[in-house]
Each structure stands twice: as structure tokens, then as C-alpha cells.
Amino acid sequence: MYDHDVLIIGAGLAGMRAALAATEAGVNVAVVSKVHPVRSHSNAAQGGINAALTDRGDDWRDHAYDTIKGSDFLGDQDAIEIMCREAGDEVIAMEHMGAIFNRDEEGRLGTRNFGGQRQARTFFVADFTGQALLHVLYEQIVKAGALVYEEWFVLSLIERDGECGGVVMMDIRTGKIEVVRAKAVIMAAGGLGRVFEPSTNAMICTGDGMSLAYKAGASLMDMEMVQYHPTTLKGSGVLISEAARGEGAYLLNSENDRFMLKYAPEFKELASRDVVSRCEQTEINEGRGIDGCVLLDVRHLGEKYISERLSQIRELAMDFANVDMAKEPVPIMPGMHYQMGGVKANVDGETGVPGLYAAGEVACVSVHGGNRLGANSLLDTLVFGRRSGVHAAERAKNTSHLSIDDSAAKPDRENIERLLLNDKNESFGKIRFDMGTAMKEHFGVFRENSSMAEGISKLSLIKERAQSVYVADKTNTFNTNLLFTLELGFMIECAETIASSAFDRTESRGAHTRTDMPDRDDENWLKHIVVSDKDGKPNISYQDVVITDWTPTVRQY
């Protein structure tokens, strides 16, 4: 059994920013990750990070309003104010740590335009900003001396009398299961993208953190709000960064018509992501697509400019679609990208379970509401990762470890033994694929009552099938067969909360678009859907949206 003051689950940007902040506060910190830290999914964030710097004539309040409008007025305005007010300091801090941001002709930090914003406030490192920030933060936590449990898999949170006191986790290399006590646990395990197929997310994004917190008594919020990114490569679902549209790319249909001029005459291709995704899907559904896609055209930017600013996505399009975007348009379509909902947490990361914090995509601090603005995700991870680390460290200084021993691992050991003893049957792969395709079909860009009801029925059958899943590999060393099966359980729970929340919200708002109820209903639905686990099933309650200075208005781009 191991002891730490603060234990952080997940080594992406939120987790490592929390680790750095907690270590600087003078407590014993450890990070646990199922992959090497710089393989975390923050690595895949391409376009940039938003901040309103006053020396650019920008104002954090303008950034806040763009974020609130982008959220379709479902974001909590007090939390959004904090994120936008602290954004500049985080960007400058990362630059001082060694992040090599692109610069303009005058040598200042350069910016590009991003969707749903009236001003260019997105700071960037070419089109691999997340990767650059991730490597810099990893250097910083190594320098600070934070311990990293690399390639360990968290099986459960340990809860005693409503309080979180540690985790049960497994060493992937040996199969050994250990109990780790902690005075504070920060959940920073990322998103759930692979609940849908296809997805822009890495295969490791399986909703582990949301499910673990949910089963330990924490609530999930806004789970129906699933973001579809407008530009993912046909077939593979690989992300083509919003940076392309930020640099001036056009969207074209089969008639060579730049259709966004019709749907969003002011913002055009840089309307918010939910709007652009719906417009693309409408063009496809109405027969103006090209084999289920539309086209992204950057040829007018010139090959030199594309190579300087968009080198990574150019390579991705060549590798995965055999298309050189400097010479021909790229076939793209809306693809599942990001979960706006997550573990309900306040601006210091506190959840409803004392001792448990949450930050990053796994959390719902409610800064994204019904739709996240591009380049606000990296900002979210840094601001609330840091705040969670500071608050968790303060808690650790003023509390003691709970009375926990190795017996806390008994349920997890028994569950793994049960899985390994299952009779030969179907494996995780087919069940996982069926779940992902069902989620896409019934809870995708457009939703409708009877379709969602059918999707919920399919999920019920999928959950039954998962109980008897067959784990062919019985060994202890790097048993990925077992890990993927455990992840499947996490994913199914996440899928259930998405489905039940979506079915419950009888309006259209942000990414939740119902063809049978196309209008936004502020009178009845200016509120969050909160889901908790009750006897193994989602239990729904509600919480009002926090309004400070900005009254909800009609959302137009």
C-alpha cells in the first residue's frame, strides 16, 4: 500500500498542471496514468489556446461573452468569468516555462481566428499546440519531483462514509493490484470519445474518470452535450484542426458552393462548432454532399503558408486520405470530438464527494455549456487544473489519511477473477463497436424522440452482453484484453448517462439538436441536467444555470 498527500489520475494537461501546482504548494504529489504522460490525449489538441490580452486591445469580458454565447447560454457565467479572467496569466506562464508559441511580424505572440469569436485571441504553436504544451509541462513536473505511476490502470475510487480516501489501481506491466491512500484525489482522466464510433479521440479516451467518480457518488452534469467537430477526415475520423478554418479555409458542397455564406453570413466557416456541424450535415442530408462528406478547401492559402501553419494536418490528410490539401480539397464530415459534460465540479475542482476533485475534460465546471468554443479546452485544463491542485494541496495540509487497508481492493480483485472465468463468448471488440455505432446513430448531430428511445433499448441489450464478455488472455503481463474489457464497462455507464440526459431534455440547445423539438426553451430548460447513480441506474435532477451580467438572447452567427 502506498500513501500520498495528493494523487492525480491522468497525466494530460489538466493532470500535470494540477501536479505542478500541488507540488509547488509543498505537499507529496503523485500522478497515475495508463499511458506514458506525453502520450496523453492532450497531445492531440491542434489549434491553440484562447486568452484576451489587454495589450492586444482585447478584454476578458469579450472573451467571456463569446464563450457564454457559444455555450448557447447553458454555461455558468461565474465560472466562465474566472476562466477568461485568468486566461492571460496561464498563457504567459506557459510561455515562460518554455512553450514556443508562434509570433507575429513584430515578434509578439501571434494569434489566429477561431470559431465563435469576434477577435483573434487564439495563441498557437503551428497546428500542434497541445503537444507543445504537454511536453513543456512534463518537463516541469519532472523538475519539480512529482512521482509518476506510468502505465498503471485505476480500477476504483475508495470511498468511506461519503469521503474519497484513495484508489485501487493495477500495474499494467505485472497485473499487481495495489491500494493507494491519498488525502485528496484529483480526477483528470480526460474524455469519453470512444463511446462513439468514429471519434477524433485516441483509443484511450474511454470515460474511465467519469465512470469512476459516478460510481463513487459524484454527480455528472450536462452529459447530453456531446460536441461534433465540423472537420474530421472521411473514414478514419481523424481531426483536421479548426486552425485550417482559422487561417481562411472554405467549406464547399458538391455544387462548389461555399454554403456557410448562406447559413452564417457574418462568421461564415468560423461560426460555433455545433452550428457548422449542423450546416454540413444538412448539406449532406439534402443531397449536396459528396459520398457523405463536404470539402475543406485551403488551396488559395498557398503551399508555403500551408507548410508553415498547417503542416501536421497536411500530413494527416496525405497519410489517411491520400489527399494533399495544398493541391486539392479534403473530404471532411462532422465527427464526435469532445464531451462538454462531466463530473460536476466547482471552480476549485471540488465535487460532491469530499476529497475528490475533477479538472479538464473529465469535469464539468460548466464553462462550455451546450457547446465549447475551439481553443477553450486547453485553457480549461490549465486554469482549473492549477486551481484544483492548489485547493487539493491545501486540503491535504489540513486533513489525515482515512483508515484504509489492502482489503479495499477485494471487490476489484473479485471482479477481475469473475471476468477471467467467463465462458467463451463474444469479446469486448464487437460489443464496443455496436455501442459506438448505436451512439452515433441515435445520439449524433441530430436527435429525435423515437430514435433516442431505440438507442436506449440497444444500450440496455449491450449492457447485458457485456456481463458475459470473454477475456481470452489469462496472463498478468500487459493484459490489454482485460484492460479493454474493463474500459468497456466504464464506457457503457457513460453512454447510459448521455442517453438518459438527452432523452430528458425536450428542447434544442447547443450540440443537443432535436428535429422533433427544434426550438430553444429558456422558460423551461435554462437549467443543467444532473445525473447520479441510483441502484445502478441514472437518476436525474436539475440545477439552475448561473446568470451574472449576460441575459440569454437569440444566438446568431
Side-chain angles (χ1 to χ4, degrees):
M1 189 165 72
Y2 305 117
D3 285 351
H4 298 287
D5 291 330
V6 177
L7 180 69
I8 298 157
I9 303 172
L13 287 176
M16 288 203 280
R17 188 67 186 90
L20 184 59
T23 302
E24 289 174 342
V27 298
N28 176 278
V29 177
V31 179
V32 54
S33 174
K34 62 182 180 182
V35 296
H36 181 63
V38 295
R39 293 190 64 228
S40 302
H41 190 58
S42 299
N43 188 63
Q46 297 168 339
I49 178 170
N50 291 329
L53 298 187
T54 54
D55 67 346
R56 305 301 171 85
D58 204 356
D59 189 288
W60 70 263
R61 290 181 62 82
D62 292 334
H63 181 196
Y65 177 71
D66 287 344
T67 299
I68 292 162
K69 179 183 175 184
S71 79
D72 215 352
F73 297 92
L74 189 67
D76 285 339
Q77 296 181 14
D78 54 348
I80 290 170
E81 288 178 20
I82 287 172
M83 181 180 75
C84 296
R85 194 166 56 232
E86 297 182 2
D89 289 342
E90 281 300 321
V91 169
I92 298 303
M94 291 304 303
E95 200 262 347
H96 288 175
M97 288 180 204
I100 312 299
F101 289 103
N102 278 54
R103 297 189 174 262
D104 61 21
E105 294 77 10
E106 299 172 6
R108 302 184 308 169
L109 295 181
T111 56
R112 61 168 43 126
N113 290 293
F114 246 53
Q117 302 187 74
R118 296 161 295 170
Q119 182 154 334
R121 62 170 66 96
T122 303
F123 297 88
F124 64 99
V125 184
D127 57 352
F128 48 87
T129 310
Q131 181 185 60
L133 299 184
L134 194 70
H135 280 259
V136 165
L137 269 179
Y138 183 53
E139 293 168 359
Q140 294 298 315
I141 69 163
V142 170
K143 177 183 176 182
L147 175 66
V148 178
Y149 291 98
E150 184 180 320
E151 295 187 329
W152 286 69
F153 188 89
V154 177
L155 299 167
S156 66
L157 298 178
I158 301 172
E159 178 262 329
R160 293 286 183 271
D161 298 322
E163 191 170 346
C164 182
V167 307
V168 179
M169 63 187 199
M170 178 170 64
D171 185 348
I172 296 172
R173 287 166 288 189
T174 65
K176 185 178 182 182
I177 294 173
E178 293 281 2
V179 170
V180 182
R181 294 197 307 174
K183 298 174 184 176
V185 174
I186 301 176
M187 185 62 70
L192 51 67
R194 284 294 159 181
V195 168
F196 289 72
E197 289 295 342
S199 169
T200 66
N201 285 204
M203 297 303 289
I204 59 173
C205 298
T206 50
D208 306 16
M210 295 179 200
S211 177
L212 289 165
Y214 180 67
K215 288 189 288 190
S219 296
L220 305 181
M221 190 165 80
D222 294 347
M223 291 299 287
E224 73 276 20
M225 297 303 177
V226 179
Q227 181 167 80
Y228 267 66
H229 196 288
T231 55
T232 74
L233 270 181
K234 176 190 174 184
S236 65
V238 169
L239 178 65
I240 299 298
S241 173
E242 190 164 316
R245 285 174 289 132
E247 298 292 352
Y250 301 150
L251 291 173
L252 305 174
N253 62 19
S254 61
E255 299 168 3
N256 205 37
D257 176 31
R258 190 179 168 192
F259 56 86
M260 288 308 298
L261 298 177
K262 172 180 65 176
Y263 294 107
E266 183 182 354
F267 283 70
K268 306 177 184 67
E269 282 83 4
L270 287 174
S272 64
R273 287 179 173 175
D274 61 319
V275 170
V276 180
S277 291
R278 281 193 295 274
C279 295
E280 290 179 352
Q281 196 62 52
T282 298
E283 291 292 302
I284 294 166
N285 292 350
E286 294 182 358
R288 294 183 294 278
I290 304 166
D291 194 21
C293 299
V294 292
L295 299 176
L296 181 77
D297 191 359
V298 297
R299 291 173 295 175
H300 55 285
L301 299 179
E303 185 168 0
K304 182 176 184 295
Y305 193 87
I306 293 167
S307 296
E308 289 174 355
R309 297 291 189 101
L310 305 170
S311 59
Q312 179 174 261
I313 60 172
R314 184 184 183 189
E315 290 178 11
L316 287 171
M318 293 173 72
D319 290 343
F320 289 95
N322 198 29
V323 172
D324 184 351
M325 63 170 53
K327 299 176 181 177
E328 55 187 317
V330 181
I332 53 94
M333 61 193 298
M336 190 282 169
H337 179 60
Y338 187 89
Q339 172 61 288
M340 271 80 70
V343 182
K344 184 177 180 295
N346 67 17
V347 294
D348 291 317
E350 295 175 289
T351 70
V353 178
L356 178 64
Y357 294 76
E361 189 175 353
V362 75
C364 182
V365 187
S366 192
V367 290
H368 305 309
N371 172 73
R372 175 178 66 80
L373 291 187
N376 267 357
S377 56
L378 295 186
L379 178 60
D380 172 14
T381 63
L382 296 181
V383 169
F384 296 110
R386 174 181 52 77
R387 293 177 70 94
S388 297
V390 169
H391 201 281
E394 200 57 38
R395 172 187 168 84
K397 291 175 181 178
N398 294 288
T399 191
S400 301
H401 285 292
L402 297 183
S403 179
I404 295 168
D405 58 30
D406 191 63
S407 64
K410 183 180 178 182
D412 290 299
R413 291 192 174 104
E414 290 177 346
N415 182 52
I416 288 172
E417 287 174 10
R418 177 188 66 80
L419 287 171
L420 293 175
L421 289 173
N422 275 347
D423 293 332
K424 192 166 186 179
N425 199 344
E426 61 182 334
S427 68
F428 70 90
K430 181 66 166 63
I431 301 174
R432 180 166 165 166
F433 182 76
D434 289 348
M435 174 193 63
T437 52
M439 292 301 289
K440 178 191 174 185
E441 180 182 354
H442 301 289
F443 301 96
V445 176
F446 292 113
R447 301 168 175 178
E448 184 270 331
N449 189 75
S450 59
S451 173
M452 288 191 289
E454 184 182 347
I456 290 171
S457 296
K458 287 182 180 179
L459 286 178
S460 180
L461 294 174
I462 285 166
K463 189 173 185 178
E464 284 183 29
R465 287 164 60 192
Q467 293 301 308
S468 58
V469 67
Y470 177 61
V471 181
D473 187 352
K474 312 296 183 183
T475 64
N476 292 324
T477 304
F478 286 106
N479 189 342
T480 53
N481 195 174
L482 174 61
L483 294 184
F484 295 158
T485 301
L486 294 169
E487 287 174 338
L488 175 64
F490 295 149
M491 295 164 79
I492 291 171
E493 281 194 326
C494 291
E496 281 188 317
T497 64
I498 293 169
S500 59
S501 299
F503 189 78
D504 191 66
R505 184 174 286 276
T506 53
E507 65 157 357
S508 288
R509 184 185 298 271
H512 176 69
T513 305
R514 293 186 59 152
T515 55
D516 54 344
M517 297 176 182
D519 297 325
R520 196 179 83 189
D521 180 4
D522 286 350
E523 183 178 347
N524 296 301
W525 282 107
L526 194 61
K527 57 189 178 185
H528 303 287
I529 293 177
V530 180
V531 188
S532 57
D533 179 33
K534 186 175 182 180
D535 301 325
K537 294 183 179 180
N539 180 60
I540 286 177
S541 59
Y542 307 97
Q543 178 173 309
D544 289 339
V545 174
V546 177
I547 307 291
T548 57
D549 294 342
W550 293 278
T551 303
T553 60
V554 175
R555 182 168 169 251
Q556 294 178 326
Y557 289 99

